[in-house]
Amino acid sequence: MLRLACRNLLRNRTLSAICCASVAGTLTLVIMGNNLNHGTYLTMLEKGISTTAGHVVIQGQGWKDNPDPLKHRVEGATELAAQVQGLHPQAIVLQRTFLGGLLSSASNSVAVAVQAVVAQDERQVTDLHEKIVEGTWLQEDDSRGIVLGFELANKLEVSVGKKVVLMGQGKEDVASRLFRVRGLVRTGAAQADGFLAVVSLAGAQDFLDQPDAASQVSLHLDDPDSTDAVLAAVKSSLGNREGLEILGWKEAIDNLYEFTEVDRATNNKFMFIIGIIGALVILNVILMSVMERMREFGVMLALGMTPSKLRRLILTEGLVLGLASAVLGLLGGSAVTAYLAHAGLDYSGMMGDTMEMSGVAISTHLYAAWDLNHMAASTVAAVLLSISATIYPAWKAGRLQPVEAMRHV
Amino acid sequence: MVLCLGAILLLASPAVAADNGKADPDIKELLDATDDLQRGDSSMAKVEMHIKTARFERTVTMTAWSEGTEKSLMVINSPVREKGISTLKVGDNIWNYLPKVDRTMKVPPSMMSGAWMGSHFSNDDLVKENRLSEEFSYTLTSRPPDNPEQAWIIELKPKPDAPVVWGRVVVRIRDADRLPIDTRFYDEDNKLVRTLSYSDIRELGGRSVPAKMRIVPADKPGEFTEINYQELKFDVSIAPSTFTLQALRK
């Protein structure tokens, strides 16, 4: 049966080749597209994790729903950071405070998002210090230093060395504090360049009058897959401390995570439609070859072949064609992915060096990443779609009347 | 202080700082004089504020009550559209009451340097004054015979870590009657940012005071906000409940 099916397929090489090529091409495209997206999602999530959260974050109870440093914070942040560092020595542990405020210069004022960081530790996790276009990154213990997005500095009409005053809600009254501009960053993300101000944690603690408190203590891991294990360890170690929420990155940056998941689901729907189109090509080819072979089938039926065997023959043809195309497609997709994972796709000519997706700035040089589950699933789907595309032709062939079929020209 | 617009009280604040000693007695005397001139235990004023910007020009009249430097209440009388809008200041906090929607809003820190009622004064100008004494050091840079205006010129420099955006502030006080002429605000590059000037000296509430104050931003030619006192009374009796959120709604 299999031999017969193969022989049939090889008899009309052109038709089979076109069919095979279109299915393999579609599959290659699907795999390539998905792996490229997958790579972009990973970059985005990594960026989101490194800049605003961590693989495991410990923050004041209620911070996630209401990020207000006056209401929710981690007290005794230094000690807590040391404690979690002890739990997991290879992780990088950061303390950060996020607050909003109004930054004023003599000529203007802008509402800003302030990130208070431990400058030396921050360097190990984010690349903000590499994005300095003027001046320097914050030095250790520089509680008066501030690094501004360069658009923000333009709006305030200040340059490196000039003073700015941060105002915000303090413990009881309005708090204000003088900072000196140390450096300007250009990240490519409008949000960061226009509204980001980075100060040292000590500066923010003074400003808020919250000595040794931080919004968040976060662990950054080399191996993101170990998140769950580390999360469990941190939870059991800190379980007795009140007023903390301990989250894995999926919860901590749930907006971004959900965005990637929704986008992924949307893409999968598109790819499914592409798959259906591919299947229609197979349907067309098999249907044509069945019509072409009407006489032949008539003879076979007349010689005693049962309709069910004939149906199986045609389904087998579809299966063989599908399998061959899927293997080719998988190979093609893998080859393209391998190339794109290494060389990447450079859109910088079109969109500049960075682009902003869902509030996260990522490089426009996109790299693919291997999404093995999805590759396996789409390969299987290609085979299944090929087979299902042959159901109708097979059913049609099975209903042939030998006499009429033989008369068919 | 009448309107409690911080910029004017800038004059008053160094006087407080002078109590720390060391300062040139001339400055203390001078600033005390201007200070006492403006300060009563309490005051009531009717004020007209004229705002001119590139986009609009309008006039607002209001009544203001104050007690010390910490508490003040301003209620808009006209234009009709804005009648009843009130601003309450207690200490560092400002609340606005909007009668149309019957809502009291605390002005959040992020809006503190937003324009107050569309003028060239910011909300921050309203609250800042009582902190300035801690934030500036000052020197007398010119005495009356040395300059044509016959004025005392005092330069205020923010202390190194004081949360002040200005690079320096220069106050001129007329020798004859010890009334302020103007106050200039410079940035760190010594560029003039805005000028507050005083004129139209009149008898109001039994004292001779400048009835007109005008603030001019240096980078916006043609724009200004001018405040005219139409009526001013000192040491009036005001019910303590005036400066509460409940009263703000009435």
Side-chain angles (χ1 to χ4, degrees), chain A residues 108-401:
Chain A
N108 220 337
S109 48
V110 179
V112 293
V114 181
Q115 247 185 54
V117 302
V118 179
Q120 295 315 107
D121 297 346
E122 192 74 15
R123 290 177 78 112
Q124 302 176 50
V125 175
T126 63
D127 58 357
L128 214 51
H129 61 281
E130 291 165 14
K131 303 278 170 69
I132 296 272
V133 286
E134 214 179 294
T136 58
W137 180 241
L138 296 174
Q139 300 298 308
E140 216 164 342
D141 299 329
D142 179 7
S143 69
R144 290 280 173 190
I146 192 166
V147 169
L148 303 178
F150 84 104
E151 285 287 0
L152 175 60
N154 282 349
K155 265 181 271 172
L156 292 173
E157 296 176 36
V158 291
S159 54
V160 173
K162 290 288 173 321
K163 62 182 180 181
V164 287
V165 173
L166 177 69
M167 281 201 329
Q169 189 60 48
K171 226 180 207 169
E172 272 147 30
D173 292 323
V174 175
S176 52
R177 183 179 172 86
L178 179 100
F179 288 98
R180 288 260 166 209
V181 180
R182 304 282 188 237
L184 308 181
V185 287
R186 184 197 290 261
T187 64
Q191 180 66 31
D193 289 345
F195 304 97
L196 177 68
V198 186
V199 301
S200 71
L201 189 64
Q205 286 169 343
D206 268 10
F207 177 77
L208 294 168
D209 193 16
Q210 297 175 347
D212 202 26
S215 302
Q216 192 181 71
V217 172
S218 57
L219 280 88
H220 299 257
L221 309 172
D222 282 341
D223 175 19
D225 293 336
S226 63
T227 298
D228 289 343
V230 177
L231 179 62
V234 171
K235 268 186 179 162
S236 71
S237 163
L238 298 178
N240 52 354
R241 279 192 59 158
E242 302 244 316
L244 296 179
E245 56 188 22
I246 302 169
L247 306 174
W249 63 268
K250 280 183 193 170
E251 288 173 277
I253 52 164
D254 53 355
N255 284 342
L256 190 61
Y257 179 65
E258 275 157 24
F259 167 78
T260 61
E261 290 301 302
V262 167
D263 199 52
R264 202 187 282 275
T266 316
N267 282 333
N268 282 344
K269 285 197 188 90
F270 276 118
M271 286 173 189
F272 184 71
I273 292 169
I274 294 177
I276 298 280
I277 296 170
L280 288 175
V281 175
I282 306 186
L283 174 67
N284 177 39
V285 169
I286 304 268
L287 199 58
M288 260 175 77
S289 82
V290 167
M291 296 305 247
E292 252 178 6
R293 290 180 288 165
M294 279 278 203
R295 257 178 81 91
E296 195 182 312
F297 291 152
V299 172
M300 284 161 82
L301 287 170
L303 287 176
M305 191 178 205
T306 60
S308 74
K309 257 192 174 167
L310 184 58
R311 277 199 294 271
R312 251 184 288 151
L313 173 70
I314 294 169
L315 284 174
T316 312
E317 285 178 24
L319 176 68
V320 171
L321 199 59
L323 274 176
S325 318
V327 169
L328 275 178
L330 188 58
L331 287 176
S334 304
V336 180
T337 304
Y339 172 74
L340 288 180
H342 173 69
L345 208 56
D346 192 355
Y347 284 112
S348 58
M350 260 158 67
M351 320 197 264
D353 284 336
T354 50
M355 62 178 171
E356 202 170 343
M357 283 178 84
S358 196
V360 179
I362 58 169
S363 161
T364 46
H365 200 121
L366 304 178
Y367 292 93
W370 297 93
D371 187 356
L372 296 177
N373 290 338
H374 190 274
M375 284 168 73
S378 42
T379 309
V380 171
V383 176
L384 290 180
L385 278 171
S386 305
I387 298 174
S388 52
T390 51
I391 290 174
Y392 172 68
W395 173 78
K396 209 173 155 74
R399 278 173 45 110
L400 284 177
Q401 292 300 316

Side-chain angles (χ1 to χ4, degrees), chain A residues 101-102 104-107 109 111 144 157 161-163 165 167-169 172-174 176-178 180, chain B residues 92-93 106 109-110 112-113 124 128 131 158 160-167 187-189 191 193:
Chain A
L102 189 86
S104 307
S105 66
S107 37
S109 48
R144 290 280 173 190
E157 296 176 36
K162 290 288 173 321
K163 62 182 180 181
V165 173
M167 281 201 329
Q169 189 60 48
E172 272 147 30
D173 292 323
V174 175
S176 52
R177 183 179 172 86
L178 179 100
R180 288 260 166 209
Chain B
D92 277 350
N93 298 310
K106 184 166 191 288
S110 56
M112 288 304 271
S113 47
D124 193 35
K128 259 279 171 91
R131 225 186 279 138
D161 284 339
V164 172
V165 294
W166 315 115
D187 70 7
E188 277 187 289
D189 297 327
K191 199 177 80 189
V193 180

Side-chain angles (χ1 to χ4, degrees), chain B residues 206-225:
Chain B
R207 303 178 193 187
S208 171
V209 292
K212 187 181 273 190
M213 295 188 308
R214 173 192 275 237
I215 188 151
V216 181
D219 58 342
K220 292 175 191 136
E223 294 197 7
F224 64 86
T225 294

Side-chain angles (χ1 to χ4, degrees), chain B residues 96-118:
Chain B
N96 281 328
Y97 171 67
L98 306 173
K100 274 194 186 158
V101 290
D102 192 22
R103 281 279 179 280
T104 304
M105 289 184 347
K106 184 166 191 288
V107 178
S110 56
M111 278 175 59
M112 288 304 271
S113 47
W116 180 69
M117 301 284 166

